[in-house]
Amino acid sequence: MPSDVPGYDFVVIANRLPVDVSLDDAGEPTWTRSPGGLVTALAPVMASTSGAWVGWGGAADLELDPFDVDGTELIPVVLSEDDLEQFYEGFSNDTLWPLYHDVIASPAFHRPWWDAYQRVNRRFAQAAADQAAQGATVWVHDYQLQLVPRMLRELRPDLRIGYFHHIPFPPLEIFAQLPWRKQVVEGLLGADLVGFQRAGDAANFVRVVRRFTDLTTRGQVITLTDANGAVDRHVRAAAFPISIDSHGFDDLARTDEVKERARQIRHELGDPEFLLLGVDRLDYTKGIRHRIKAYGELLSEERLSPQSTTLVQVASPSRENVGAYQQLRDDVELLVGRINGDYGQVGHAPVQYLHQSFPMEEMAALYLAADVMLVTALRDGMNLVAKEYVAARSDDRGALVLSEFTGAADELTGAVLVNPHDIDGMKDAITYAVHMDARDSRKRMRSLRRRVLGHDVVAWSQDFLSALNAVPIGGPGVSG
Ligand code: F6P
């Protein structure tokens, strides 16, 4: 692209746009902001440069012109019903998702899904190539778009390309199952910097590169060569643990409205002695069944009293067209029904199960109301719920039970760490957390808050983008 072609200096590519779309009565699309962590993270960058965000609008066959939201140009990518079935529900969420999460569910390998994945990745790459200014920085996000870095580099060799992988990157022995493993690795190597949540994920990736390519690696750096064996460019693979808008969340949870709502929640639940809380997307990686099973056994063994204990489980609807998610919903609801049937009383259910999503204010109130937060994922890239709970607890109270298999466990060492597969161990950890003495709990929470408030999502994006700028740009003359 000639240098006088206008375009954006900073382009984000993510599967979803940071807005929710709905159709009004006249069938016209209307947008509402969905300010996730990524939006907050990128706000300072977007404010200081000309920025665009390429992504899907969240509904099938939505053909919309680009539009501006708070100074960022949103560039919608159209996904058809077929794309959704094969690219999103199929390859992204029924092949890659289970494969990258320790094969907790069986990944399905279907060639038409792979075709759709390539087709849709090309569409995202083309949309970004059309929008980026000469020499722009492009930041590609997550497992749905692993082929985009290479496709984009082929279209626009002048760009600086970063990729961040929000979910775990699996060990070689599991990744090796993927019939298209080499293409995926090559896709990612189109980036200058490949970021992961944990050092272990980056190490898994480098090992996979060594196994499925002929490239040389030295620590975090992979060296790409041209057809004559001369050094072409370098790719760095490193960990950049993501965070949340910690101060925004802290402020929200300090408001009188949220504090009052927290009191009200406890009251509406019958002022239990112990309020336990789980908050997850209804996903089989989250260990919801394991946690509820442990809780049910604690009630049955009378280590917790069903009269004075309540577990609130928020399970927000997710990927409802994928079979494994439908099965999980049935399993969880059966289990909840059994426990409430066995241990409930008129007017009191020991599990309050909410298959719904709630606004941030209500979440902050729930966090503030809960004595113990249960995060028992079987595998999780990071787990931002754990960080939200900590950010909400400016009272330095509450206890966090946290699975070792989350990225967050690498940082949040003040939590009570558990192996969610070990139901007895989890029961002991929950009992310990419920009865934790005030001094221990305050000490732990202070250390957790130092970490969460000291490293927020803006720091995360700045770390990533400055590392991306530090990677020597490719082309002939790069020194090995
Ligand atoms: O954790 C990966 C992720 O893609 C998040 O970015 C997202 O919030 C969540 O999973 C749910 O994803 P989706 O509803 O787009 O499938």
Side-chain angles (χ1 to χ4, degrees), residues 393-408:
R393 298 313 303 242
S394 59
D395 58 358
D396 288 340
R397 298 177 65 188
L400 173 64
V401 173
L402 178 63
S403 163
E404 294 166 20
F405 301 112
T406 61

Side-chain angles (χ1 to χ4, degrees), residues 15-16 88 93 97 142-144 166-167 281 318-319:
N15 184 43
R16 287 182 190 268
Y88 172 70
N93 290 322
W97 184 267
D142 226 358
Y143 65 102
Q144 302 95 343
H166 290 250
I167 69 171
R281 272 188 313 104
S318 185
R319 304 175 186 163

Side-chain angles (χ1 to χ4, degrees), residues 117-290:
Y117 189 72
Q118 293 176 88
R119 173 177 83 228
V120 172
N121 271 243
R122 191 161 293 114
R123 200 175 302 153
F124 277 83
Q126 186 64 58
D130 292 345
Q131 300 294 335
Q134 177 76 21
T137 295
V138 180
W139 192 356
V140 186
H141 288 267
D142 226 358
Y143 65 102
Q144 302 95 343
L145 302 175
Q146 292 170 103
L147 306 180
V148 168
R150 179 178 181 166
M151 290 172 171
L152 188 55
R153 185 168 295 280
E154 282 169 1
L155 292 164
R156 292 288 306 273
D158 58 296
L159 302 176
R160 193 181 278 275
I161 304 172
Y163 170 91
F164 187 75
H165 195 79
H166 290 250
I167 69 171
F169 196 86
L172 166 64
E173 291 72 14
I174 290 181
F175 183 77
Q177 290 180 21
L178 185 67
W180 308 280
R181 58 204 184 183
K182 192 164 170 14
Q183 292 95 314
V184 167
V185 174
E186 287 171 351
L188 292 169
L189 289 173
D192 296 294
L193 176 64
V194 185
F196 296 93
Q197 301 281 20
R198 300 174 315 143
D201 297 312
N204 285 347
F205 176 67
V206 172
R207 197 161 160 240
V208 157
V209 170
R210 279 206 298 272
R211 174 71 181 79
F212 296 118
T213 73
D214 297 328
L215 301 173
T216 54
T217 66
R218 196 163 165 209
Q220 298 184 329
V221 178
I222 300 143
T223 302
L224 275 72
T225 44
D226 65 17
N228 303 319
V231 173
D232 181 17
R233 60 190 186 87
H234 300 292
V235 180
R236 188 177 158 217
F240 298 87
I242 201 169
S243 191
I244 57 167
D245 177 13
S246 322
H247 297 278
F249 215 86
D250 181 36
D251 289 346
L252 175 65
R254 286 174 192 263
T255 58
D256 290 343
E257 292 76 12
V258 167
K259 285 187 192 161
E260 177 50 31
R261 177 66 190 137
R263 277 190 287 273
Q264 206 179 24
I265 288 171
R266 284 194 81 103
H267 187 65
E268 283 168 5
L269 290 169
D271 288 315
E273 189 180 0
F274 303 120
L275 177 55
L276 281 56
L277 176 66
V279 173
D280 310 84
R281 272 188 313 104
L282 187 49
D283 192 300
Y284 50 80
T285 60
K286 303 290 183 184
I288 301 170
R289 278 186 303 121
H290 296 63

